[in-house]
Amino acid sequence: MELVWHGEFDRLFSQYFPHMWCLVPTFYPPGDQWRTFKDSAKVRFSCQLNYATNSGCVMFKLYGQQCQKCKTGKFEHAMWYPEEVVKVVGNVYNRVGQIYYGFVRPPLRIDRRVGKPRNQHNSELCQACKEGLCKEEWSFT
């Protein structure tokens, strides 16, 4: 799945040439100088562009869920479908374009993959809920 994330990111962000952008996972919140936004797929992004070095960085944190049966307290990452990755990376690309390149704010894609969850959302097991970030209506900030 990592190849899908980086492949889609590289495909879109190469359009910001001559600036070189990288995608980096993080487990810690970035400093105050970073722009932060989140998407409905329970992932949070922070970005920064350094004009002096012609480089930018997008950090992301994926939120997981604890197993209801194992009760280990460990958060496991959710399964990502390629079309969800394409949607989320496209939203990040558009948001970075708005902040740093003057894009008119494009509409946020909020569509979700069709499916029937077996269980209701359990906020006791949700990492994003535990960190105060899980909401029914997520939006970019």
Side-chain angles (χ1 to χ4, degrees):
M1 188 49 58
E2 187 176 334
L3 291 175
V4 176
W5 277 97
H6 285 282
E8 185 64 12
F9 183 88
D10 292 345
R11 184 183 75 77
L12 289 175
F13 278 73
S14 66
Q15 297 175 63
Y16 290 143
F17 184 81
H19 300 135
M20 300 297 295
W21 285 86
C22 65
L23 180 65
V24 179
T26 184
F27 298 100
Y28 307 102
D32 292 336
Q33 74 275 17
W34 292 76
R35 305 272 185 148
T36 302
F37 43 99
K38 54 192 171 188
D39 202 339
S40 62
K42 292 200 173 68
V43 59
R44 183 177 213 168
F45 295 92
S46 299
C47 63
Q48 186 178 56
L49 176 60
N50 183 332
Y51 292 101
T53 62
N54 271 346
S55 64
C57 184
V58 174
M59 292 191 314
F60 69 97
K61 180 175 181 181
L62 297 174
Y63 291 88
Q65 186 163 325
Q66 294 177 21
C67 176
Q68 192 169 13
K69 293 177 184 174
C70 298
K71 307 225 189 276
T72 64
K74 183 179 177 190
F75 292 106
E76 301 294 335
H77 291 295
M79 180 174 61
W80 282 78
Y81 294 97
E83 62 268 24
E84 292 174 322
V85 173
V86 168
K87 177 195 77 146
V88 169
V89 173
N91 284 341
V92 172
Y93 168 79
N94 286 330
R95 182 68 169 139
V96 167
Q98 178 195 3
I99 293 169
Y100 297 108
Y101 299 101
F103 285 17
V104 174
R105 188 169 189 150
L108 176 67
R109 279 192 57 198
I110 58 171
D111 54 295
R112 289 189 177 209
R113 189 173 195 279
V114 177
K116 294 183 181 180
R118 290 181 234 173
N119 300 315
Q120 294 286 342
H121 179 73
N122 185 337
S123 60
E124 291 297 313
L125 302 176
C126 174
Q127 185 179 17
C129 284
K130 296 264 188 214
E131 294 186 19
L133 297 170
C134 187
K135 299 177 184 175
E136 286 184 26
E137 294 289 328
W138 285 47
S139 61
F140 283 90
T141 57

